[in-house]
Amino acid sequence: MIRAKQELLDDLAAELATLAPEAAAVAAFESPKQASHGDLAITCAMQLARPLKKNPRELAQALVDGLRRREAFERWVDSLEIAGPGFINLRLKPAAKQAVVADILASGEAYGRQAATGRHVMVEFVSANPTGPLHVGHGRQAALGDAICRLFETQGDQVTREFYYNDAGVQIQTLAISTQCRIKGLKPGDPGWPESAYNGEYIADIAADFLAKKTVKADDREFTASGDPDDLDGIRQFAVAYLRHEQDLDLQAFGVKFDHYYLESSLYTSGRVERTVQRLIEAGKTYERDGALWLRTTEYGDDKDRVMRKSDGTYTYFVPDVAYHITKWERGYTKVINIQGTDHHGTIARVRAGLQAAGVGIPEGYPDYVLHKMVTVMRGGQEVKISKRAGSYVTLRDLIEWTSRDAVRFFLISRKADTEFTFDVDLALKQNDENPVYYVQYAHARICSVVEQWRQQHGGDPATLPRADLGRLVMPAEAALMLKLAEYPGMLSAAARNLAPHDVAFYLREVASAFHTYYAAERFLVDDAELARARVALLMATRQVLHNGLSVLGVSAPTKM
């Protein structure tokens, strides 16, 4: 099917070029809105009608007449029909659909994956300050970021997962003071407890371990406590290392591992922030007013100029972001994606403006952003707002412990990032088709069960499946399933291009639905051994696609449920 579709696409482009040289660029197939209309659709005639100054139906007829003489269309297409204002619907020959089964069985885990591109991609996500456990919003970032990384890897890119965090500043000082208060016996509500302090029980845990002079080790640091209640700097360093370790445990439980950690403080200690500011000044992109240094961001599409250095000499938070992204560019990452909450929307224009003004060769629109909305957690029909451990929010580990890693990953990816999402704990625990992750995983496990029955009770040998007579797969449910499996490589490429891992989740539910429909419509282990083998071959191809797609989402593909 993949080879057939590519040959058809090549012939379509060639035929469009006979109408106008530039027309070949719009060669594409779409899926008809209704299966009864055909297997593939061409809408080029309507796109080209205005620029070519022709009636779309007449253009469609000319295109159909030419395509019928093309070799690939003669080989793979049963019929070409014009519908509506100029749609062209294609019905493929059974052999074109059946070929996808052989393609998948031959490719295995490589099905849908593209050759190496040599491109270096960085995805920065989670990037939580080490001031507390990861909340469910961080979980949504982790799920989105890791899935986007896996998508780019399927497209042949080399991907680096980076975690950027602030290891200094007001929030870290608040963390240190909160921990020191606990060390000295104060607790939330006591006289003298700071109003801005962190109230979660985890602060008491940090304090106890500091007094015990413990050593904590995170992925990027290690520190041993002095046990001295007056050692505020030591308390700060210990608390940061402790919470970085806790966040590592959260991420480990979620199956996410980072390649590199980048500290905001290093941008200052290395002089990168100062050098970036100086570069902008020398480029003539700044001016002083009211004792502050301003960047002319309006020259780059921002709605107003922005303060870089305040009158007290401190920098606004987007300045180190500009310096940080220059380091990404200098490290060779021509494609960079940042996963952040929608509350960061206002920084996009000023960061991009700063990068353009710096004049270091960074293209417009760098970096790309995926902004996500927060998550509401429901349990027992009620919204859950707090966690005993965190004090004021539900943690990622809470959600995993209440349900499962697979459920949390699949659910948090199953909607577009910029839409509100309600995580229903009760739904995630259901073992029926209402639960989307269960529905998909059950399809995989069900196929494993059928294949095992075929092997044990019918003497089936999986090694013989590549020799199955796929011409026996002619039932409507089989055709529908094969067409759906053939969409996988194109779906992956589009999902990567559009930074849309939710498309993978949608697609897997569609594959599972097509399989369950097939399961209800036909028997697989029939007396006709050749027909049984062909149907098991289709099942194995379906299982492989479900496995591959779930892997992109970081979700397991169980063999039993």
Side-chain angles (χ1 to χ4, degrees):
M1 175 71 180
I2 307 305
R3 178 168 61 88
K5 193 171 181 179
Q6 188 57 55
E7 290 179 3
L8 291 170
L9 192 61
D10 292 343
D11 271 5
L12 174 59
E15 187 60 35
L16 285 169
T18 67
L19 300 175
E22 67 277 10
V26 301
F29 293 118
E30 298 179 12
S31 296
K33 291 183 179 179
Q34 296 182 31
S36 60
H37 291 170
D39 301 317
L40 298 172
I42 301 172
T43 61
C44 305
M46 289 179 291
Q47 292 174 256
L48 296 171
R50 178 170 291 179
L52 296 183
K53 298 179 180 179
K54 292 186 178 181
N55 179 283
R57 278 192 69 93
E58 292 177 3
L59 197 56
Q61 187 61 59
L63 191 54
V64 165
D65 292 343
L67 291 175
R68 283 177 174 150
R69 294 190 292 269
R70 294 276 175 178
E71 183 179 350
F73 278 77
E74 288 182 4
R75 181 185 305 124
W76 300 116
V77 176
D78 248 349
S79 67
L80 286 166
E81 300 171 352
I82 300 172
F87 293 103
I88 301 173
N89 292 325
L90 285 74
R91 296 184 189 279
L92 299 171
K93 292 180 179 178
K97 304 171 192 176
Q98 294 154 358
V100 73
V101 177
D103 291 343
I104 296 169
L105 295 180
S107 300
E109 291 191 0
Y111 180 64
R113 301 184 74 91
Q114 306 301 315
T117 64
R119 183 172 69 162
H120 294 270
V121 176
M122 176 189 283
V123 183
E124 181 218 323
F125 58 109
V126 181
S127 294
N129 291 339
T131 55
L134 299 182
H135 55 62
V136 292
H138 295 131
R140 192 172 196 184
Q141 274 200 40
L144 287 166
D146 196 47
I148 287 173
C149 290
R150 291 166 185 257
L151 271 173
F152 276 105
E153 287 167 345
T154 70
Q155 301 307 295
D157 295 320
Q158 292 179 271
V159 181
T160 295
R161 295 159 169 82
E162 184 151 289
F163 190 121
Y164 170 86
Y165 66 91
N166 177 1
D167 58 335
V170 174
Q171 289 182 318
I172 300 300
Q173 187 67 9
T174 301
L175 171 67
I177 292 171
S178 303
T179 306
Q180 186 180 50
C181 287
R182 283 282 195 169
I183 290 169
K184 294 184 175 182
L186 292 176
K187 61 182 183 298
D190 286 352
W193 181 259
E195 186 177 342
S196 62
Y198 296 118
N199 298 325
E201 283 300 307
Y202 66 93
I203 299 294
D205 296 337
I206 299 171
D209 283 1
F210 181 85
L211 286 171
K213 300 182 180 180
K214 289 188 177 181
T215 297
V216 288
K217 184 177 181 180
D219 280 354
D220 69 311
R221 60 181 59 213
E222 181 176 335
F223 192 80
T224 300
S226 67
D228 179 0
D230 295 319
D231 179 13
L232 187 60
D233 186 63
I235 292 170
R236 177 185 61 79
Q237 293 190 61
F238 181 79
V240 168
Y242 184 102
L243 287 169
R244 279 292 310 112
H245 172 68
E246 286 291 302
Q247 291 178 351
D248 289 343
L249 293 178
D250 292 338
L251 293 166
Q252 183 180 339
F254 206 43
V256 174
K257 186 172 178 61
F258 285 88
D259 301 302
H260 189 247
Y261 291 84
Y262 201 103
L263 309 185
E264 182 180 0
S265 62
S266 71
L267 294 169
Y268 291 94
T269 58
S270 66
R272 282 191 171 275
V273 171
E274 287 293 343
R275 289 198 298 274
T276 298
V277 171
Q278 190 59 37
R279 177 180 279 142
L280 293 169
I281 292 172
E282 292 172 355
K285 301 299 181 181
T286 65
Y287 60 91
E288 294 199 27
R289 190 178 72 197
D290 301 328
L293 182 68
W294 297 68
L295 180 65
R296 301 180 191 276
T297 56
T298 50
E299 293 184 11
Y300 301 94
D302 201 359
D303 57 344
K304 62 181 180 180
D305 291 340
R306 305 290 175 171
V307 173
M308 291 176 59
R309 186 173 59 222
K310 294 180 282 188
S311 57
D312 63 4
T314 61
Y315 292 110
T316 54
Y317 59 88
F318 87 91
V319 177
D321 277 359
V322 173
Y324 173 45
H325 283 88
I326 290 175
T327 76
K328 292 183 180 182
W329 180 258
E330 291 175 345
R331 284 183 279 162
Y333 295 106
T334 55
K335 180 75 170 179
V336 168
I337 302 101
N338 295 345
I339 318 292
Q340 297 177 329
T342 49
D343 56 326
H344 288 80
H345 183 272
T347 68
I348 295 176
R350 63 198 76 168
V351 169
R352 286 176 172 169
L355 293 173
Q356 292 298 298
V360 294
I362 295 177
E364 290 185 32
Y366 182 99
D368 290 311
Y369 288 85
V370 174
L371 301 182
H372 70 89
K373 291 190 177 178
M374 297 303 287
V375 180
T376 300
V377 178
M378 300 292 291
R379 192 180 190 190
Q382 300 291 322
E383 181 178 349
V384 185
K385 292 186 177 181
I386 63 171
S387 159
K388 180 180 179 183
R389 183 161 162 264
S392 59
Y393 55 83
V394 177
T395 70
L396 172 59
R397 218 181 305 175
D398 286 334
L399 217 51
I400 295 171
E401 288 171 0
W402 293 340
T403 58
S404 68
R405 182 172 87 181
D406 285 346
V408 177
R409 271 191 177 256
F410 196 98
F411 273 51
L412 293 180
I413 293 169
S414 64
R415 295 287 185 274
K416 289 183 66 175
D418 62 357
T419 59
E420 299 283 353
F421 183 71
T422 298
F423 190 106
D424 188 332
V425 172
D426 300 321
L427 176 62
L429 293 172
K430 286 187 176 181
Q431 296 189 357
N432 58 31
D433 58 8
E434 292 180 48
N435 179 348
V437 66
Y438 179 86
Y439 186 66
V440 173
Q441 289 182 318
Y442 183 55
H444 185 274
R446 205 175 204 182
I447 292 171
C448 292
S449 175
V450 173
V451 172
E452 188 61 17
Q453 288 180 53
W454 174 70
R455 191 181 67 80
Q456 290 193 3
Q457 300 174 19
H458 297 259
D461 181 2
T464 68
L465 291 177
R467 301 195 297 274
D469 180 8
L470 302 177
R472 304 293 297 274
L473 302 174
V474 295
M475 301 306 291
E478 291 167 338
L481 180 54
M482 289 185 288
L483 279 171
K484 184 55 63 178
L485 298 181
E487 293 176 10
Y488 182 69
M491 179 280 300
L492 276 185
S493 295
R497 186 169 58 251
N498 298 325
L499 306 177
H502 63 277
D503 285 348
V504 182
F506 289 162
Y507 171 81
L508 289 173
R509 292 174 70 175
E510 291 172 349
V511 172
S513 176
F515 161 72
H516 289 307
T517 298
Y518 183 28
Y519 188 94
E522 305 294 341
R523 288 178 55 236
F524 305 128
L525 306 183
V526 293
D527 294 335
D528 183 335
E530 280 305 311
L531 178 58
R533 182 160 66 165
R535 286 181 171 173
V536 171
L538 174 54
L539 293 188
M540 287 290 279
T542 304
R543 184 177 80 170
Q544 187 68 64
V545 170
L546 288 170
H547 169 87
N548 291 2
L550 286 168
S551 178
V552 170
L553 302 184
V555 175
S556 69
T559 58
K560 293 181 180 180
M561 291 183 72

